[in-house]
Amino acid sequence: MKKIVLTLGAALFLATTGCQKDILEENPQSVLTPSFLKTAQGVEAGVTGVYSGLRQLYGNDSGFFTTEAGTDLFTNGIANSSGLSDYGPNDLTPLNDGSHSFIWTICYTQINNANGVLQYGPQAQGIAPARQTQLLAEAKLLRANYYFRLVQDFGDVPLMLTFVDSPTKDIVRAPMASVYAQIIKDLTEALAAIADKPAQPGRVTRATALHLLAKVYLTRATAIPAGATGDYTLAAQYAKELIDNQTRYGLGLEATPGAVFANGNENGKEVLMNAQFNGDATFSRIDGFTFGGENVGGFNFRSRYDLLPNMARDIANGRPFARHSPTYFLLDSYILRDASGAPLEADAALRTTDTRYNSWFTSVYRVNNPGGNGGTARAVVGDTSIWYSGRQLSAARLAQIAARTPAPYRVFQPNQLTTEFFPTLNKYDSPTRTSVNGFSIRPNIVYRLAETYLIAAEAYFYLGNSAQARDYINVVRRRAAAPGRTTQMEITSAQVTIDFILDERARELVGEMHRWHDLKRTRTAAGASQLLTRVRNTNYAPALRNQGGGVYGSNAAINIKDFHVLRPIPQTEIDRTSGKITQNPGY
């Protein structure tokens, strides 16, 4: 592995996480060194540097390519997501998989920075003991989170716990069990020392540690051979502790789904951890064409509205990367169904009981450029320009739209969805950007309280307590219910299955960079990987599916192999260690 150091410029660029302002006014340092880390300024800068990696992990293309592409929820847009949507045999390789190579590099860079803080920070002079304790606890939690990402993606990975400040090749992969044990050790120690509430937006807290412990135990339970007896019990215990004491941490569910991702509410009461961003290219490496510190969440899921009549690209609607198209399964998952799966809604009532679809997906675009793209000057700014109907319309309704005055609008029925035109996930929209193609500086939510409820539900389900699982799921579903429809959204304990839990996680957490890991860690009743099962099942993720005139699918079902439940170890890491770091099977 090449020398891992962090320039102080990079270490300090996360100013929005609340690192003391006067740190930025100090003389610049070239690297984080042991002597610098033994100072109060060095500890502060080192921890801020560890935070800085979060925006690279949870904001740019690689963050979405590696978690949402190639699942049951999203298929190819107009870009192939580095081959990850299709499990392309020429793209998803140790040499060509740039997304996971980037994830590996970012995680180990920040792990090394955390190691420096934890190794030398206890010796720092001139820092208040309480502040020192807090910073060390934050470093442990963040190191655990980086390792958690690595072990989920790659399985056995090098377990580095000391600061590396000179080149070395003596690196080997540690067993998953050892990595999980260290993750849990770090989180448990952080839990005992970290603050209940963040001193500044973006700081991790005791609530973050509780949530992450619950999620780690839930994940380890099925991580063969790392799983341990009692993992589900501990997952339930930590999730319940957070839920039962949420007021202690100043937390609570937002009143409506729309409020969760409302612009300006990224540090709201439901948020347990987020990745902070800023618009300073000096510190944030904002260029958009390499994996850096930019936030492209609002662009990746945006369809090509700018190619349609009476429309032009603008700040409010965003930059249409069109990377990820929602599958039919995802769009139809918001239709209310009975216990047998039969729809309880039809026609115009589809997806109206569960408000999450209309809160988190844009299905209507408004005219912003009359006459543009072959449109008509009669179109009125603010009037309907595009409608993704979500249902097949009658000939009479289509004729009515075509004859509409002062101008008709373009309709896309379900059988007309394409890789360019589809309903847009809008959780990451950033209408306050300063330029049409400028990147967002909104924080991206990483963990939130609604997921804690779903983690608790899953743990209790596996413990055989479906009634308790039902109650936790219903909390989330009641929040999502349209006014007067709460009872219809509630489920019974008999409806709680791992498939229902995964479907509920899809409805609630869509696009939040969890899905690939959710499918990878769960299994069918027969013990098969849900990732392999769902991607191969065209009822979930359609393969080469062509309905009507639409082109809406991928080769994932054809290409995915059993070994794809792990990602390829970057070939560069194998080469740098002369083969001491070994490759995962199948690659």
Side-chain angles (χ1 to χ4, degrees):
M1 183 177 291
K2 64 183 178 182
K3 186 177 181 180
I4 308 174
V5 291
L6 179 71
T7 65
L8 190 55
L12 294 180
F13 67 55
L14 198 70
T16 54
T17 59
C19 189
Q20 295 176 0
K21 186 177 183 297
D22 61 351
I23 290 177
L24 295 178
E25 298 169 356
E26 297 288 341
N27 293 328
Q29 305 287 326
S30 61
V31 294
L32 289 180
T33 62
S35 60
F36 182 57
L37 289 167
K38 292 178 185 178
T39 67
Q41 180 191 359
V43 177
E44 294 277 3
V47 173
T48 302
V50 180
Y51 274 105
S52 75
L54 297 181
R55 64 165 156 262
Q56 296 174 306
L57 204 59
Y58 301 112
N60 59 37
D61 276 336
S62 68
F64 298 101
F65 286 172
T66 59
T67 57
E68 298 295 342
T71 69
D72 51 352
L73 305 189
F74 292 97
T75 186
N76 272 338
I78 59 175
N80 67 7
S81 301
S82 297
L84 300 176
S85 284
D86 287 335
Y87 298 88
N90 296 320
D91 300 300
L92 189 50
T93 70
L95 192 60
N96 295 335
D97 182 7
S99 292
H100 284 98
S101 179
F102 178 78
I103 295 295
W104 178 286
T105 299
I106 289 302
C107 287
Y108 276 112
T109 297
Q110 301 308 337
I111 285 168
N112 193 57
N113 294 331
N115 288 345
V117 170
L118 294 170
Q119 187 170 334
Y120 299 107
Q123 304 170 47
Q125 302 298 310
I127 185 171
R131 180 63 176 167
Q132 184 181 49
T133 298
Q134 172 69 19
L135 290 171
L136 295 176
E138 290 179 24
K140 286 181 180 179
L141 189 154
L142 293 169
R143 180 171 71 177
N145 190 69
Y146 287 118
Y147 267 123
F148 186 40
R149 178 60 197 269
L150 287 168
V151 78
Q152 290 179 93
D153 280 4
F154 302 106
D156 299 348
V157 294
L159 186 57
M160 313 285 289
L161 300 175
T162 57
F163 188 59
V164 177
D165 60 357
S166 61
T168 178
K169 291 186 175 182
D170 293 327
I171 301 172
V172 297
R173 298 170 72 182
M176 277 195 299
S178 299
V179 180
Y180 272 109
Q182 183 62 46
I183 292 169
I184 291 167
K185 181 176 184 291
D186 276 350
L187 291 173
T188 303
E189 291 176 358
L191 188 68
I194 202 165
D196 284 359
K197 299 177 182 179
Q200 299 91 15
R203 294 278 182 183
V204 293
T205 65
R206 193 172 193 276
T208 318
L210 286 169
H211 177 89
L212 199 45
L213 272 166
K215 188 163 187 172
V216 167
Y217 277 117
L218 186 70
T219 304
R220 190 178 75 166
T222 52
I224 300 171
T229 301
D231 279 350
Y232 288 127
T233 298
L234 288 165
Q237 172 190 314
Y238 285 112
K240 184 176 186 299
E241 180 179 345
L242 176 52
I243 292 167
D244 290 350
N245 297 281
Q246 57 191 273
T247 55
R248 168 181 168 180
Y249 306 109
L251 298 170
L253 293 180
E254 297 288 353
T256 65
V260 179
F261 289 90
N263 192 46
N265 195 40
E266 301 85 2
N267 299 302
K269 65 181 182 178
E270 189 164 326
V271 178
L272 301 171
M273 177 174 155
N274 60 26
Q276 300 279 315
F277 292 83
N278 65 59
D280 188 339
T282 303
F283 298 120
S284 294
R285 189 184 156 197
I286 301 174
D287 61 34
F289 297 101
T290 60
F291 296 130
E294 65 275 359
N295 182 356
V296 300
F299 304 162
N300 271 346
F301 301 95
R302 179 68 52 182
S303 62
R304 294 304 306 272
Y305 70 92
D306 59 331
L307 300 180
L308 294 172
N310 303 314
M311 295 298 298
R313 184 180 301 190
D314 63 7
I315 290 176
N317 285 305
R319 189 174 173 180
F321 279 9
R323 301 276 198 258
H324 312 292
S325 303
T327 61
Y328 292 102
F329 163 70
L330 172 59
L331 298 177
D332 289 350
S333 72
Y334 292 97
I335 298 172
L336 186 69
R337 300 177 186 276
D338 63 20
S340 68
L344 296 171
E345 301 171 318
D347 300 324
L350 285 173
R351 306 176 190 85
T352 58
T353 303
D354 189 332
T355 65
R356 289 174 291 195
Y357 177 76
N358 286 313
S359 294
W360 293 337
F361 286 85
T362 297
S363 58
V364 175
Y365 285 83
R366 306 288 178 181
V367 173
N368 67 4
N369 184 32
N373 293 329
T376 173
R378 298 190 307 274
V380 177
V381 172
D383 200 359
T384 300
S385 174
I386 308 163
W387 179 35
Y388 293 97
S389 62
R391 64 184 189 276
Q392 298 301 121
L393 302 178
S394 67
R397 179 72 173 114
L398 291 172
Q400 181 187 43
I401 294 170
R404 183 177 179 271
T405 57
Y409 52 85
R410 179 72 180 270
V411 176
F412 287 91
Q413 301 177 89
N415 68 346
Q416 296 171 315
L417 300 181
T418 74
T419 58
E420 290 185 303
F421 304 117
F422 47 82
T424 292
L425 180 72
N426 61 33
K427 287 180 174 180
Y428 301 101
D429 280 10
S430 184
T432 58
R433 291 174 299 115
T434 57
S435 65
V436 171
N437 292 328
F439 296 102
S440 172
I441 59 170
R442 289 184 64 187
N444 279 352
I445 298 171
V446 177
Y447 302 127
R448 57 188 178 93
L449 189 61
E451 188 193 13
T452 314
Y453 280 92
L454 298 178
I455 289 170
E458 188 174 337
Y460 277 106
F461 166 73
Y462 280 121
L463 290 171
N465 191 342
S466 292
Q468 184 66 72
R470 171 206 63 202
D471 291 346
Y472 282 126
I473 293 170
N474 279 338
V475 170
V476 176
R477 288 180 63 82
R478 282 193 291 268
R479 193 264 294 274
R485 303 285 288 173
T486 300
T487 301
Q488 288 86 344
M489 281 289 285
E490 292 177 342
I491 64 167
T492 66
S493 56
Q495 289 176 265
V496 180
T497 64
I498 190 55
D499 278 311
F500 188 93
I501 291 169
L502 281 173
D503 293 352
E504 192 63 28
R505 286 185 66 89
R507 287 183 282 265
E508 181 67 27
L509 303 173
V510 56
E512 295 180 44
M513 293 172 279
H514 301 297
R515 192 58 175 182
W516 190 87
H517 297 114
D518 285 347
L519 296 182
K520 175 239 170 80
R521 68 173 169 75
T522 50
R523 299 182 182 279
T524 66
S529 164
Q530 288 278 7
L531 176 67
L532 300 174
T533 300
R534 289 197 174 211
V535 171
R536 286 170 174 161
N537 184 342
T538 55
N539 290 328
Y540 289 98
L544 302 178
R545 181 173 177 176
N546 188 325
Q547 293 193 351
V551 180
Y552 198 58
S554 77
N555 289 319
I558 297 170
N559 289 337
I560 195 168
K561 303 292 188 293
D562 289 358
F563 65 82
H564 283 137
V565 295
L566 290 175
R567 304 303 201 176
I569 304 293
Q571 189 62 43
T572 51
E573 300 305 310
I574 295 173
D575 294 343
R576 285 167 181 162
T577 59
S578 301
K580 289 183 179 180
I581 293 179
T582 57
Q583 185 55 263
N584 276 325
Y587 296 104

